[in-house]
Amino acid sequence: MEDWIIDLIKVVFIWVWCLLIAVVMTWVERRASAMMQDRLGPNRAGPFGLLQPLADGIKLFTKEEIIPEKAKSILYVLGPALFALPAFSAYAVVPFGDKIVLGGKEIILQVADVNIGFLYVLAIGSMGVYGMVVGGWASNNKYSILGGLRATAQLISYEVPLGLALLAVVLLYGTFSLREMVFQQSGTFLGFLPNWGFFKQPLGFILFLVAAYAEASRVPFDLPEAESELVNGYHTEYGGMKLGLYLFGEYVNLGTLSAIIVTIYFGGWQLPYVDMSAFLGPVAYGIASFLVFFLKQAFFLFLFVWVRWTVPRFRYDQLMGLGWKSLIPLCLVNFFITALLVQLTV
Amino acid sequence: MMSGFETIVMYLGMSFIVVVIMLVVSALLGPFRPKPRKATTFECGVPLLDPGHKRYAVKYFLVAVLFLVFDLETVLIYPLAVKYRDLAQLGWGIFIEVFLFVAILLAGLVYAIKKRAIDWE
C-alpha cells in the first residue's frame, strides 16, 4: 500500500476513535454520576442506556436553528466551530500505542510523530478559548458575556502553571517528542518503582492535574458555566448542534488531557515491570500496547467524573488566587528542584 | 520529519470538514417555524432591560497582561529546557543563568501580588 493511504486510514481511525471515546464518555459521566448519587441514570435507550448518546445526537441534529435577534450572527455561528476545531485536532500527536506490523509494513500507532508534538498540544489546546469568548460575546447576553470573560481569564491564568509544570518534564526528558518521552519511561526507577514520570515528578504531576482540570473547566473549576450563577455561561444562548459542539468539544478535551497525562506521567503504552514485546507477536503487541494506553486513559477519564461529585466549586477569587499565588510559585520551585537534580546527576 | 506535518494537516482538514458538516446538516434537518418570541435574548423570564455589552472589570485586562509576561517566560525557557542536559555537563553556569532569569520573574510575580493585581473582591 502507498504510504499516504496508510496515513489516511490512520487519521480517520484515530479521529473516529477519539470522538468515540468522547461519545461514550458522555454516557459514562451520566451513569457514574447516577451511581454516586444512588440514582439509575439513563437506562431506556438500548442496554444500560448505551444508546443514549446516539439519541442525544439525533435530537441535537434535528433541533430548530434559532439565532437570537440581538446576537451577531456570523460570530454566533463561528463560536462553536472555533471551540470544536482545536478540541478535535489536539489528539493528532498523541502516541496511543507502540507499533504494529501488518503485511510486512511497520506502522507506528500515532498520527504524526513530530519532534515538537508537545508544543503542538499546548498551542492547539489554548486555541479553544477563542471559541468561548467569541461565542459569549456574539450572544449579546449578560450571562454569556460574563461566562466568556471568566473563561478567558481562567484559561489564560491556568495555562501558565500548565506550561511551567510541563517545563520540568521537558527538562527531565530533554525532548519535545511525546513518543520519545514514552520510550524514556521504560525500565525501573530506584530499582523497584516503574520508571514513570509520576515518580520523578510527583509535585509536577499534581500541579499539572490541577491546571488540567481548570483548563478543561471541570468541577471544581467550572466557573465559566456555573449554572447556579450564570445560567449556562458562554453557551446560554446556544441550542441544537451548536450547543452540541460546545458540550462535545469539552468531552474530547477531557480525552486529550487524559491521554497527555498518561503519556507524560504514566509511561504511555508500557506496562510496569513487563516488556510486552518480548513474548507477544508483532500484531498482538501492537494491539496490547493500544489497549494498555486506553485503560490508563480510561482511568483518568473516570477520575474527572469522580472529582466532579467529590469537590465543591471554587469561588472566582479563590480560583484566581490558587492559580497565581500557589500554583505558579510551586511550579517554579518544582522547576528549580528538577534543574538542580539534573545538574547534580549528569 | 516533514511527513509528520502532512498527516497533521490531514487531521486538521478532517476536523474542519466534520465541524462544517455538523453545522450545515443540523441547520438543514431542523424545522423552521420562526416566532418573534423565540429570537429574544434569554433573561430568566423577565423582559430584557438593557443590552448585554456592558462595561466590565479592568481586572480581566490585568490578568491578560500578566499572562503575556509569564507565558512568554515559559516560551523563552522551553528551548533551554530541551538542551539543559547537554549544557549542564559544561558546569554550573547554565543553572545560575536559569536561576537568575526565573528569580527576576518571580520578583515580578511577588510585586504583582503585593500590588493586589490579582485580588478579586
Side-chain angles (χ1 to χ4, degrees), chain A residues 1-17:
Chain A
M1 263 199 289
E2 300 256 348
D3 276 352
W4 70 270
I5 300 178
I6 295 176
D7 281 345
L8 192 66
I9 293 171
K10 238 172 20 176
V11 165
V12 173
F13 175 73
I14 287 311
W15 202 93
V16 172
W17 173 248

Side-chain angles (χ1 to χ4, degrees), chain A residues 53-126:
Chain A
L54 194 71
D56 286 340
I58 293 171
K59 188 193 102 171
L60 288 173
F61 263 120
T62 51
K63 281 278 178 184
E64 184 177 350
E65 185 95 338
I66 299 172
I67 296 181
E69 53 183 356
K70 292 253 170 31
K72 317 220 175 311
S73 51
I74 295 172
L75 288 179
Y76 179 79
V77 179
L78 204 62
L82 278 179
F83 183 77
L85 254 179
F88 290 175
S89 310
Y91 211 74
V93 290
V94 174
F96 54 91
D98 192 359
K99 56 181 181 253
I100 190 165
V101 181
L102 285 177
K105 230 178 162 61
E106 201 172 84
I107 303 167
I108 58 164
L109 293 174
Q110 185 179 15
V111 171
D113 179 23
V114 290
N115 53 2
I116 54 153
F118 195 77
L119 294 180
Y120 174 84
V121 173
L122 281 179
I124 291 283
S126 55

Side-chain angles (χ1 to χ4, degrees), chain A residues 73-291:
Chain A
S73 51
I74 295 172
L75 288 179
Y76 179 79
V77 179
L78 204 62
L82 278 179
F83 183 77
L85 254 179
F88 290 175
S89 310
Y91 211 74
V93 290
V94 174
F96 54 91
D98 192 359
K99 56 181 181 253
I100 190 165
V101 181
L102 285 177
K105 230 178 162 61
E106 201 172 84
I107 303 167
I108 58 164
L109 293 174
Q110 185 179 15
V111 171
D113 179 23
V114 290
N115 53 2
I116 54 153
F118 195 77
L119 294 180
Y120 174 84
V121 173
L122 281 179
I124 291 283
S126 55
M127 300 268 279
V129 71
Y130 288 116
M132 291 180 173
V133 76
V134 165
W137 176 260
S139 299
N140 204 348
N141 174 327
K142 287 174 212 112
Y143 303 109
S144 300
I145 287 175
L146 277 176
L149 281 173
R150 278 188 180 188
T152 319
Q154 174 177 337
L155 262 73
I156 62 176
S157 290
Y158 277 80
E159 213 169 287
V160 178
L162 197 77
L164 284 174
L166 292 177
L167 198 61
V169 176
V170 171
L171 195 145
L172 197 65
Y173 296 139
T175 176
F176 279 138
S177 159
L178 291 170
R179 195 173 191 78
E180 185 60 34
M181 285 183 185
V182 174
F183 282 130
Q184 288 195 21
Q185 293 177 53
S186 57
T188 52
F189 174 57
L190 296 177
F192 62 99
L193 290 169
N195 196 12
W196 288 351
F198 170 68
F199 294 108
K200 290 180 172 173
Q201 287 279 321
L203 180 61
F205 167 69
I206 293 166
L207 294 169
F208 181 82
L209 197 69
V210 174
Y213 275 64
E215 281 290 302
S217 56
R218 289 285 298 191
V219 180
F221 307 115
D222 65 336
L223 274 302
E225 46 201 279
E227 67 273 2
S228 46
E229 308 161 29
L230 290 179
V231 190
N232 230 336
Y234 54 90
H235 52 65
T236 302
E237 288 284 355
Y238 283 93
M241 207 55 218
K242 291 200 281 297
L243 175 68
L245 281 177
Y246 272 125
L247 299 181
F248 201 52
E250 267 173 37
Y251 283 101
V252 180
N253 271 340
L254 296 189
T256 314
L257 283 169
S258 308
I260 296 296
I261 290 173
V262 171
T263 308
I264 291 173
Y265 291 106
F266 286 89
W269 64 79
Q270 289 165 340
L271 276 180
Y273 310 117
V274 184
D275 183 13
M276 287 188 297
S277 62
F279 56 89
L280 286 174
V283 178
Y285 173 59
I287 297 169
S289 64
F290 185 81
L291 285 179

